[in-house]
Amino acid sequence: MTIPDSGFMMDNGGSCLPVPPDEERRVVEELTNKSEDNLKEGNLYYVVSNRWYSSWQRYVGQNTDQYLADEPSLDSQRLKGVSSEMTERPGPIDNSDIISDEHSEGDHLELRRMLEEGRDYVLVPQQVWEKLFGWYKGGPALPRKMILQGYHNKSYSVEVYLLCLKLIDSRDNSQSIIRISRKASTHDLYEKVSMLRKVDMAKVHIWDYFNEHKAALLHRSNKTLEEESLQMDQDIRLEMQVDGVSQSRNGMDSTRNDLALVALEPSRSSMTIAGGPTMSNGHASGYNFYQRSGLSSSSSHTEDGYDAIISANKGERGGLAGLQNLGNTCFMNSAIQCLVHTTPIVEYFLQDYTEDINMENPLGMRGELALAFGDLLRKLWSSGRTTIAPRAFKGKLARFAPQFSGYNQHDSQELLAFLLDGLHEDLNRVKKKPYIEAKDSDGRPDREVADESWKYHKARNDSIIVDVCQGQYKSTLVCPACSKISITFDPFMYLTLPLPSSVTRTMIVTVFYGDGSGLPMPFTVTVLKHGCCKDLTQALGAACCLRADECLLLAEVYEHRIYRYLENSLDLSSIKDDDYIVAYRLPKVGAGRTKVEITHRWLERVAPDTFKGHERKFSGTPLVMYLSKDSLCGEDIFGAVGKVLSPLTRAYSPPRSSNEKESSFVLKDGEESSSSSNGQCGRGNDEMEDVEDESSSELPSFQLSLVDDRGLNPKPIHRDTVISGQTVKIMLDWTERERELYDANYLMDLPEVHKSGFTVKKTRQEAISLFSCLDAFLKEEPLGPDDMWYCPGCKEHRQATKKLDLWKLPDILVVHLKRFSYSRYLKNKLDTFVNFPIHNLDLTKYVKSNDGQSYVYELYAISNHYGGLGGGHYTAYAKLIDENRWYHFDDSHVSPVGEADVKTSAAYLLFYQRVKTDLGVRMGETSRSHMSS
């Protein structure tokens, strides 16, 4: 297909005309698909304001569903479909709403921080930008390059935010801003700095000056700035070399004291930083720990607050160091603080674990993640209260899990899941995993199958993480057709528990009759707050006494037009309280039917200061009906419209001429639609009753037009107009005559789904217990239609029922409260207060193995999330076991907190440790000496 070279089309007169919207859409979609087939590093993409781009999408009729998964707080104009004003051609490209005035200097325009793709901006390929710019002009242009990220699974992403560095010139302490890709090399940085400061690159020294401290000299190499752990908005220091000596502002040798005060290795005392005996090859004895293992240290830098370790008071306890926020890294800090206060994890990483490093595991990271985490844990337990900047760890995280790179907020649970799995693979004692074929239970005793499954799992997975963090599910699937039962036993690392809502939702939906047999009627129904549209349809059906041969078609109305039809599987969370929902009561039909949608327009008086006296505008509520597909003509449409409007006929209509007779459409209240409803010409129309012969020529004189999918380009309908298609969209232009004949108020003032003003007082949601969450998780439920199970008995995919049970629980139990929900149209966070035990969480009765052991747990850490989606803030509560006291870890700030204050509605991840009652030991009592300073 040939793509036009010009953004304009020439008519015969030689004037320039804009490209038709359909053509613009075709060109953009074709160029986008072509770009996606040719992804590579360095490809240019352009950032475009979603505000402008959405208006362009509406203009060309492009589906905007992909940009609807935004915050609920966004105004409805951005989320909804087409209004009469929005269909106009948008003006010039306008990116002003996403540009930051504060950070823009010279020709470089910086984006506002914390923007989200799809909500605030979209990315378009270079060829698409060139077309859009040719058609609309405007701007400004915001080009960004595509980069390649990842270690195992490499993926492409567009670097929307460049690395911003503050360059400090040691000669005069002047400051400059450097913007450069984090994938650029240190050599590239030297070139950029030398060009900016107009100096000889051979005499330049650039220091990593994080936290105004010389962390390391950056050598010219191919090593990327990301690998050097440079962070957004941090300082770098320029020094010029004169006669082989770096000169600072005062002319002194700037390399003299900066490194002399920095500890290149920990203190070499006879005790470890946690108070235990020194390991001969451990971190506490020097960096030969890394050399012995043949691995490089996680960082050669002396930053991260590590130089302050030797100055910490010897009597100062460990475990109370904060973590510096490196730019929206509170999610990472929260998860790390919970892990580094997990007793068996601390014990393990304070000892020599080099023999467990698995260099051969293709699923691991060659030990680099484990070493980086171990290094960070040791610093946190040896630095007293000195704040640590986890730059080296964040660098490893970005390398091996690029989804956490950049500077946006992320999910602490997702980070924890990656970290636990990554640590396991790096520390897996199994160097070569044997192949083991999974076996079905085949009616064998559960204990035999469970023990066999765990044995096979341990044969391939054996690490400290498996030892203390992994449990075992029992999963039972039952085929609904042949009753085949399949039982499997699977390992788990944490429990993700749903939050069962104790609050139902009241919704108002207006039901319209598709056959004109009754007036529209609003119904108030109560449904589960987090149910689906199928639940709403069933509740409505019961409320309106739906017959067995009828069905309900749900739709959302916006700007007097149908915005979308609601599928049964759609989450009710996608429907907001201020939406307008209707249900069309229609006969159950199969194939071969035509769906007719009727929208309404009528003349309205415009502002007196304009030349126009009246203007046609969309109004009222659309109507929907089914007609037979065969032999559909204009007469069928006129008759069907008359019938569907007949319930609205006023009791006393004004006199009419014979060719406008409509009295035959009047239906008495409660009367069934029958052949006495004259005025219908329904040739071949099974849903509309046949009209009587004497009134077949007395059709109503409606002004009807066929319109396109966007409600535009009306074409008048005449009696002999031939109409085809599975969906026919019709526009009814009301005149004063129709408004006198019909009471249009029934089509107006559609009620909102829920009017908050109707409720006298909002009651606080009732708290739910952790046990109710666990019960909801373990409840038997059918698999979803997209998650069918292949039944070995039927040899077909079946929607089986699934039941989970707890078979084996670990010593460290992580509970993930599922507060975040995502649907196609909406993201949501549940702030429900979950009442969880701090002491004596007894799960013994839930463990189905009946092994005679007690499963009682004590809470020792919590990861909290405050605020909404796409932002918010993470903190952590953690308990120092030996002093039985809780502390609040809010990035770099650490403070004591009362035990009663740790139970809040912000709790997101709960960390429990099993009480070893059989040994007479509580909560890691044996390790107290190791945890003291």
Side-chain angles (χ1 to χ4, degrees), residues 358-557:
N358 192 329
M359 299 283 292
E360 304 171 14
N361 189 353
L363 300 178
M365 283 137 275
R366 297 179 58 82
E368 293 184 44
L369 183 67
L371 288 172
F373 176 78
D375 190 31
L376 179 59
L377 181 145
R378 289 164 183 262
K379 293 173 183 177
L380 287 170
W381 277 96
S382 63
S383 63
R385 288 179 175 267
T386 302
T387 298
I388 302 297
R391 290 203 301 162
F393 179 80
K394 184 177 183 294
K396 296 298 181 186
L397 194 65
R399 181 186 177 197
F400 297 116
Q403 65 268 31
F404 299 116
S405 64
Y407 313 100
N408 286 336
Q409 184 69 276
H410 295 282
D411 190 323
S412 67
Q413 186 274 331
E414 293 178 359
L415 182 277
L416 179 71
F418 166 80
L419 184 53
L420 288 177
D421 188 64
L423 290 176
H424 158 65
E425 297 295 355
D426 267 4
L427 300 171
N428 196 348
R429 304 176 188 109
V430 179
K431 308 305 179 185
K432 293 184 179 180
K433 296 184 178 182
Y435 172 76
I436 300 174
E437 186 175 355
K439 298 180 181 180
D440 199 357
S441 57
D442 289 331
R444 291 181 293 162
D446 284 349
R447 184 174 300 279
E448 177 185 338
V449 180
D451 291 345
E452 179 183 79
S453 298
W454 189 253
K455 177 183 176 183
Y456 290 163
H457 176 65
K458 287 280 288 185
R460 295 172 54 84
N461 303 276
D462 184 17
S463 69
I464 179 63
I465 304 300
V466 175
D467 294 342
V468 301
C469 296
Q470 287 196 356
Q472 192 178 31
Y473 288 133
K474 175 188 175 183
S475 176
T476 305
L477 290 170
V478 180
C479 177
C482 69
S483 299
K484 165 70 176 177
I485 299 176
S486 175
I487 298 176
T488 57
F489 291 84
D490 305 303
F492 68 87
M493 195 97 72
Y494 44 84
L495 295 178
T496 297
L497 304 185
L499 304 188
S501 175
S502 60
V503 174
T504 54
R505 180 181 184 185
T506 300
M507 303 181 73
I508 302 175
V509 180
T510 305
V511 177
F512 287 82
Y513 288 81
D515 60 358
S517 61
L519 288 169
M521 180 71 66
F523 288 89
T524 301
V525 295
T526 301
V527 293
L528 290 175
K529 189 175 182 181
H530 302 289
C532 60
C533 284
K534 183 178 180 180
D535 303 322
L536 177 59
T537 302
Q538 291 174 344
L540 275 176
C544 71
C545 300
L546 194 71
R547 297 196 306 266
D549 61 344
E550 292 179 312
C551 66
L552 291 176
L553 179 64
L554 292 178
E556 180 181 347
V557 173

Side-chain angles (χ1 to χ4, degrees), residues 622-643:
L623 300 174
V624 174
M625 69 187 83
Y626 279 130
L627 297 179
S628 296
K629 187 174 181 180
D630 298 334
S631 304
L632 203 60
C633 65
E635 288 188 353
D636 297 312
I637 299 297
F638 276 92
V641 172
K643 184 170 183 180

Side-chain angles (χ1 to χ4, degrees), residues 885-899:
R885 190 173 187 182
W886 286 87
Y887 286 87
H888 184 214
F889 294 83
D890 186 356
D891 289 331
S892 57
H893 182 70
V894 181
S895 59
V897 63
E899 182 175 272

Side-chain angles (χ1 to χ4, degrees), residues 882-923:
D882 57 327
E883 68 174 30
N884 195 30
R885 190 173 187 182
W886 286 87
Y887 286 87
H888 184 214
F889 294 83
D890 186 356
D891 289 331
S892 57
H893 182 70
V894 181
S895 59
V897 63
E899 182 175 272
D901 297 326
V902 304
K903 296 175 68 170
T904 70
S905 60
Y908 183 44
L909 300 175
L910 306 175
F911 290 74
Y912 284 94
Q913 182 161 348
R914 187 179 172 194
V915 179
K916 301 290 188 179
T917 54
D918 54 329
L919 299 177
V921 181
R922 289 179 59 86
M923 273 298 286

Side-chain angles (χ1 to χ4, degrees), residues 192-260:
K192 197 173 185 72
V193 169
S194 300
M195 185 177 300
L196 176 68
R197 305 304 294 177
K198 297 181 174 58
V199 294
D200 183 3
M201 186 169 64
K203 298 181 179 181
V204 169
H205 280 174
I206 300 177
W207 288 85
D208 177 353
Y209 202 55
F210 185 75
N211 284 346
E212 299 183 348
H213 161 73
K214 284 187 175 180
L217 178 64
L218 301 175
H219 299 283
R220 288 196 298 270
S221 69
N222 291 326
K223 197 173 184 180
T224 67
L225 303 183
E226 186 174 55
E227 291 171 333
E228 289 285 2
S229 300
L230 296 187
Q231 303 297 312
M232 177 71 85
D233 298 326
Q234 78 154 76
D235 296 345
I236 55 175
R237 183 177 178 88
L238 166 66
E239 292 183 354
M240 297 301 299
Q241 193 176 38
V242 179
D243 297 329
V245 178
S246 294
Q247 297 293 325
S248 61
R249 182 182 180 185
N250 55 16
M252 296 174 60
D253 181 3
S254 62
T255 63
R256 188 176 46 136
N257 294 323
D258 294 271
L259 289 180

